Amino acid sequence: MELTLDTLQETLKAWNGCALANGANPVLGEGNPHAEVMFIGEAPGKREDEMQRPFVGQAGKLLDELLASIGFARKDVYISNVVKYRPPENRDPTDEEKAQCMPWLMLEIALIKPKVIVPLGRHALGHFFSKLSITNAHGTAQKLTDSITVFPIYHPAAALHNGGLRGDLFQDFANLKAFLDSQTA
Ligand code: URA
């Protein structure tokens, strides 16, 4: 079977390698299969579990606004999560759950081949740079490989809990746009 986003989706549905899979629906990433920019959140929430789509709840609405603020729509980018199932009561995913779900994210990255990966929040950032803190690194470009830059940004849900972060988020997206423009100039 050829590995595509569609076959990945089908394979994930039949997977049972994470304890969270027993009580929740699988949520793979979605978006432009040729996207240059890939956003990675933490884990699906209630709405995402119901719809089996990433970032379709309140945090997703803010993510849509942030994308629009730099002239992007969801169809321009690819959006996924570290963990593919909703943790009970939206608790933080454990290290074990993150590790169990990691192959799916790696396969998505291998298929999309993004130039810029945007971890949203500390769980996704920790996958790429375990020693960087989101507080210090947000809104700055971090070279991962010759062809991939990681550009961490606060998780949109953080601004839903702490309104003071909303301005930082919009500023980080403006920085991201400036970085992307500088790469094509
Ligand atoms: N928060 C996330 O990290 N991911 C989602 O898909 C929704 C909310």
Side-chain angles (χ1 to χ4, degrees):
M1 183 166 68
E2 191 196 350
L3 186 65
T4 63
L5 287 172
D6 286 342
T7 58
L8 202 61
Q9 181 84 262
E10 287 310 306
T11 319
L12 177 62
K13 280 186 195 156
W15 186 62
N16 202 11
C18 173
L20 294 175
N22 294 326
N25 292 314
V27 180
L28 198 69
E30 68 173 26
N32 188 331
H34 307 293
E36 295 197 345
V37 187
M38 176 168 175
F39 291 82
I40 304 174
E42 178 182 324
K46 186 166 186 291
R47 188 86 182 125
E48 287 76 21
D49 176 67
E50 285 165 3
M51 306 285 290
Q52 299 192 38
R53 294 181 54 208
F55 280 98
V56 287
Q58 288 301 108
K61 286 205 183 94
L62 180 52
L63 181 57
D64 288 345
E65 270 184 60
L66 289 157
L67 288 170
S69 76
I70 59 168
F72 281 175
R74 288 173 83 109
K75 66 174 174 40
D76 300 317
V77 299
Y78 188 84
I79 301 175
S80 194
N81 281 302
V82 173
V83 169
K84 305 307 188 199
Y85 300 88
R86 179 191 182 205
E89 313 300 326
N90 294 348
R91 64 157 168 74
D92 280 0
T94 63
D95 287 346
E96 189 181 14
E97 288 158 358
K98 288 189 271 189
Q100 287 167 338
C101 283
M102 197 46 64
W104 301 101
L105 181 61
M106 300 313 292
L107 289 169
E108 287 179 289
I109 293 172
L111 284 168
I112 304 291
K113 300 186 184 64
K115 292 192 175 139
V116 178
I117 293 178
V118 182
L120 296 167
R122 65 188 168 90
H123 291 281
L125 173 60
H127 171 61
F128 299 98
F129 291 97
S130 61
K131 295 208 172 99
L132 285 185
S133 86
I134 191 76
T135 314
N136 295 329
H138 73 94
T140 64
Q142 310 286 335
K143 181 175 165 168
L144 182 67
T145 68
D146 281 347
S147 54
I148 303 181
T149 299
V150 170
F151 201 99
I153 287 185
Y154 282 127
H155 195 293
L160 300 178
H161 303 128
N162 171 1
L165 287 182
R166 205 180 145 88
D168 296 73
L169 263 173
F170 278 90
Q171 183 57 54
D172 285 355
F173 267 72
N175 292 358
L176 171 63
K177 177 76 167 67
F179 173 74
L180 294 172
D181 290 348
S182 75
Q183 300 304 293
T184 51

